[in-house]
Amino acid sequence: MEAQISIAHQDLDAFGHSEPPVRAPMTLTDRMHALLVARADALMGCAEGSPEETELAALADAIDAYEAVRWPSGKNSRQ
């Protein structure tokens, strides 16, 4: 899974360095979102104070930020 996240990150990074800036297609960003959610799910129940807890907190922030932009009306508005 970490390899998939790395590949998706590289894909998004490539979009960010294009001139002029290109918006990443939703299929790519949704794929990254799905991988982040899967990783967060795998970390649920990790030990308090562990590096995994720190990673989970960072993932939760990233997931929340993406969802706020992707589905501004809330998750129930997904189509």
Side-chain angles (χ1 to χ4, degrees):
M1 177 172 307
E2 290 179 23
Q4 290 175 319
I5 292 171
S6 178
I7 290 168
H9 178 269
Q10 290 171 3
D11 290 345
L12 287 173
D13 192 48
F15 278 104
H17 289 97
S18 64
E19 295 289 335
V22 176
R23 292 182 51 103
M26 286 300 160
T27 54
L28 180 62
T29 56
D30 285 349
R31 189 175 104 210
M32 174 65 94
H33 173 263
L35 291 169
L36 293 175
V37 169
R39 178 65 179 151
D41 287 346
L43 293 172
M44 293 300 288
C46 61
E48 191 173 322
S50 67
E52 290 81 9
E53 183 184 41
T54 302
E55 180 183 358
L56 179 58
L59 288 171
D61 289 345
I63 291 166
D64 289 345
Y66 175 78
E67 289 177 353
V69 172
R70 177 69 166 99
W71 299 287
S73 298
K75 292 179 185 178
N76 292 332
S77 67
R78 292 180 185 180
Q79 295 181 4

